Amino acid sequence: ELLREGRVTSEERRQDYYEMICRESDRLARLFENLLDFSRMEEGRKEYRFAPLETAVWLRHLAVEFQADIASSGVTVAASIPEALPGRHADREALTCAVHNLLDNAVKYSPDAKTVWLDADARNGEVIIRVRDQGVGIAEADRKHIFEKFYRGRSAAKETKGAGLGLALVTRIVRAHGGSIEVQ
């Protein structure tokens, strides 16, 4: 409204508003895509496009892209991704969505922290991906439910906006790739 009404006079401030609009537009587009994907998954119509994936290269690229997305927030993504991760046959777009959701939650629920972590490791031929933060935490009673659709933990519901679909979406994507997810 301020831009439309010409009430922003400084070019620098105007640029800040344009960047905010772009970020929010991207966020809404991701939310919309997530909702559509979740609906397809629920109906059994989601088609994954599995192809060879160089896991380490993909994760590093994802960390750089996510860092660019949140640059204005002042939060840093500290990535620890070894060179020698096993490759996978996976849907790159779906896995990117899953890890992006986890990183987004880490930032969203860590309002006072300036770092979130993306770590990867290989164990017994499997790839382990960890997203860590120093946020508000998840109450023990909520932990068994946070991967259910529309569930939001008590502390999460008070502090931030959300529909409670992100972790349910992540869970379905991870399981479709033969993996599992847990919270600590």
Side-chain angles (χ1 to χ4, degrees):
E1 289 175 4
L2 295 172
L3 288 170
R4 183 179 62 225
E5 295 169 5
R7 297 191 317 184
V8 180
T9 56
S10 132
E11 184 58 37
E12 182 179 330
R13 194 74 177 133
R14 198 175 0 255
Q15 193 61 38
D16 288 343
Y17 282 119
Y18 288 136
E19 288 176 18
M20 184 186 309
I21 290 168
C22 287
R23 274 195 316 274
E24 288 302 304
S25 177
D26 289 345
R27 186 185 66 78
L28 287 172
R30 278 193 307 274
L31 176 61
F32 184 70
E33 282 302 315
N34 285 347
L35 287 170
L36 288 176
D37 274 349
F38 194 81
S39 175
R40 288 182 202 110
M41 288 174 197
E42 289 279 285
E43 295 171 0
R45 294 184 306 116
K46 173 68 178 163
E47 293 180 22
Y48 291 96
R49 291 182 289 257
F50 288 89
L53 179 67
E54 291 183 47
T55 313
V57 172
W58 161 68
L59 279 171
R60 280 193 199 91
H61 181 61
L62 187 153
V64 168
E65 279 188 347
F66 188 81
Q67 181 65 66
D69 287 349
I70 63 165
S72 65
S73 71
V75 176
T76 300
V77 177
S80 176
I81 302 162
E83 290 289 330
L85 287 176
R88 287 283 165 259
H89 199 68
D91 183 321
R92 179 187 182 111
E93 187 177 313
L95 286 180
T96 297
C97 174
V99 176
H100 191 283
N101 263 294
L102 295 173
L103 287 167
D104 192 53
N105 278 359
V107 171
K108 189 175 3 177
Y109 295 110
S110 303
D112 299 324
K114 292 300 172 195
T115 304
V116 295
W117 292 266
L118 173 62
D119 304 322
D121 203 359
R123 190 179 314 141
N124 300 324
E126 297 295 319
V127 176
I128 313 294
I129 300 171
R130 278 183 226 76
V131 173
R132 299 182 293 127
D133 63 54
Q134 295 177 322
V136 296
I138 302 167
E140 188 69 38
D142 290 330
R143 289 183 188 172
K144 61 186 171 193
H145 299 290
I146 62 168
F147 299 110
E148 298 170 6
K149 65 181 176 180
F150 304 119
Y151 186 84
R152 299 190 70 223
R154 286 175 272 277
S155 62
K158 293 176 192 171
E159 301 295 322
T160 60
K161 297 176 186 176
L165 282 177
L167 292 177
L169 178 70
V170 170
T171 301
R172 283 176 169 76
I173 292 169
V174 169
R175 287 185 181 151
H177 284 79
S180 63
I181 187 166
E182 64 183 57
V183 63
Q184 296 178 339

